[in-house]
Amino acid sequence: MSAVTPYLELRQATRERDRSLRDKVMSLEEAAKLVSNGEHVALGGCTASRTPMAMLWALIRAGTRDLTVSRSIVSTEGDLLYASGASSHIITSWFSQGIVWGVSKVMRAYTETGRARFEEWSHMAMGLRYRAGAMGVPFLPMRSMLGSGVLDRAEGARAMECPFTGETLLLVPALNPDVALIHVQRCDAFGNAQIDGLTFMDVDLAMAAKRVILTTERIVSNEQIRRAPDQTKIGFFTVDAVVEVPFGSAPHESYGLYEPFYGHMDLYAEMTARDPDAGAKAYLERFHYEPRDWADYLGRIGMAELLDARRRGSSINDD
């Protein structure tokens, strides 16, 4: 994934896209067809925040294979991508279920046996790689990772002497994913998206990717979006699909709406603790393959979990 796409190729691909103001609403299953086997898919959000879980759920159910996946920080979704065969190559700066549960046992089982690859960069490097992709430049310079063992694992980084100061800098290559999957709190049918809380790397992600699939807790009117234009972080011209999915990050969180489903996250950790392979497969069967639809998936997590996550998440609003 060290290859960088030349600017003129990126520009031509952008000119060929349909960036018109049009209704882009579709189902999860229809959006899943916009992702092809072997593509580079970037995920919005960070760790257990605004993970596009419903879209990943749909891709796993569709039997999508051999994706290269990148994200700022990866949590349980990385485990499920490995265990389902949807991906065997993940590029990120940290890979763990979360601080509470420690380093991912599923990730260790797959990478230590050579069945999957965890390509590690620093968090700064991940951000600058997406930023370079969004700017249409082949790389950006930084100081992070110099003198660190992480640099030995980072394919494609190059050191250079600064032409102004003579200092050593590290150049990190741009990332231009084929598809970005981003979950937001609300957007209109055209794809103008508003994000509450931290935006993480999502704005750059949307600009760097060749296609963008938005999942959203709610589709609202364009008039409502226009009432708070400063909250619109992703413009419609970058977006190709809009899917309305309530609790679309479950069991992860969506700021201001619901917090992580801690009971369910504990269940996942328990299922994968002793035998990560068997545990992850059992989890996939129960929560990804068997449910009739997303509502059935949420039902299997449980109404009590949903209500508790909603109560904790919405308590930040003084209403």
Side-chain angles (χ1 to χ4, degrees), residues 122-138:
S122 74
H123 197 60
M124 172 69 81
M126 290 301 298
L128 290 182
R129 295 189 70 187
Y130 288 134
R131 175 65 58 85
M135 293 171 64
V137 296

Side-chain angles (χ1 to χ4, degrees), residues 97-141:
Q97 181 173 346
I99 293 173
V100 175
W101 301 276
V103 174
S104 164
K105 293 181 174 57
V106 175
M107 179 273 286
R108 289 193 60 176
Y110 273 79
T111 57
E112 290 176 0
T113 56
R115 288 177 289 165
R117 182 181 173 199
F118 164 22
E119 185 179 331
E120 186 177 12
W121 294 72
S122 74
H123 197 60
M124 172 69 81
M126 290 301 298
L128 290 182
R129 295 189 70 187
Y130 288 134
R131 175 65 58 85
M135 293 171 64
V137 296
F139 61 83
L140 280 175

Side-chain angles (χ1 to χ4, degrees), residues 2-302:
S2 61
V4 175
T5 306
Y7 173 67
L8 291 180
E9 287 185 28
L10 292 171
R11 181 176 172 81
Q12 183 60 32
T14 299
R15 296 179 71 170
E16 291 173 357
R17 291 175 66 183
D18 180 358
R19 295 186 292 161
S20 62
L21 190 69
R22 57 193 165 82
D23 189 321
K24 299 165 187 168
V25 178
M26 60 184 72
S27 67
L28 278 174
E29 290 72 20
E30 290 170 326
K33 294 177 183 175
L34 301 180
V35 181
S36 300
N37 293 339
E39 289 196 308
H40 173 193
V41 174
L43 309 180
C46 186
T47 327
S49 294
R50 282 194 302 99
T51 306
M53 198 63 84
M55 197 64 244
L56 293 173
W57 179 84
L59 289 175
I60 289 171
R61 285 162 63 92
T64 309
R65 314 288 292 183
D66 302 323
L67 301 176
T68 294
V69 174
S70 63
R71 195 185 191 200
S72 57
I73 293 179
V74 167
S75 179
T76 53
E77 77 283 0
D79 290 1
L80 302 176
L81 289 165
Y82 279 167
S84 67
S87 176
S88 59
H89 181 189
I90 293 180
I91 307 168
T92 186
S93 62
W94 199 66
F95 196 145
S96 170
Q97 181 173 346
I99 293 173
V100 175
W101 301 276
V103 174
S104 164
K105 293 181 174 57
V106 175
M107 179 273 286
R108 289 193 60 176
Y110 273 79
T111 57
E112 290 176 0
T113 56
R115 288 177 289 165
R117 182 181 173 199
F118 164 22
E119 185 179 331
E120 186 177 12
W121 294 72
S122 74
H123 197 60
M124 172 69 81
M126 290 301 298
L128 290 182
R129 295 189 70 187
Y130 288 134
R131 175 65 58 85
M135 293 171 64
V137 296
F139 61 83
L140 280 175
M142 66 176 199
R143 301 181 192 279
S144 171
M145 289 172 56
L146 284 171
S148 164
V150 178
L151 181 56
D152 299 333
R153 303 167 54 83
E155 183 179 310
R158 300 283 186 274
M160 70 163 284
E161 181 180 294
C162 172
F164 302 105
T165 66
E167 296 173 302
T168 299
L169 298 174
L170 188 70
L171 312 183
V172 293
L175 281 176
N176 289 102
D178 295 303
V179 188
L181 312 179
I182 299 174
H183 187 71
V184 300
Q185 282 89 354
R186 60 190 167 280
C187 70
D188 63 19
F190 307 133
N192 292 301
Q194 297 186 337
I195 296 174
D196 297 331
L198 298 174
T199 57
F200 304 112
M201 301 175 184
D202 293 16
V203 177
D204 285 333
L205 213 60
M207 294 294 288
K210 299 167 188 170
R211 302 189 299 281
V212 175
I213 298 174
L214 285 184
T215 53
T216 180
E217 295 290 329
R218 285 192 306 142
I219 294 177
V220 300
S221 69
N222 181 256
E223 289 73 18
Q224 182 170 339
I225 291 291
R226 288 171 183 263
R227 289 189 194 110
D230 58 309
Q231 294 301 309
T232 302
K233 308 301 183 186
I234 297 174
F236 73 91
F237 50 86
T238 67
V239 176
D240 300 87
V242 172
V243 185
E244 187 175 46
V245 197
F247 289 97
S249 285
H252 293 178
E253 71 168 0
S254 185
Y255 175 81
L257 298 176
Y258 49 90
E259 288 199 347
F261 295 53
Y262 289 120
H264 188 79
M265 298 283 276
D266 286 341
L267 171 66
Y268 175 81
E270 184 181 328
M271 289 180 71
T272 55
R274 291 188 178 178
D275 186 335
D277 281 278
K281 291 189 184 307
Y283 182 89
L284 283 167
E285 193 64 32
R286 180 174 167 187
F287 292 101
H288 281 62
Y289 300 129
E290 288 181 358
R292 296 184 304 277
D293 49 29
W294 184 250
D296 192 18
Y297 164 84
L298 294 176
R300 289 175 182 235
I301 291 177

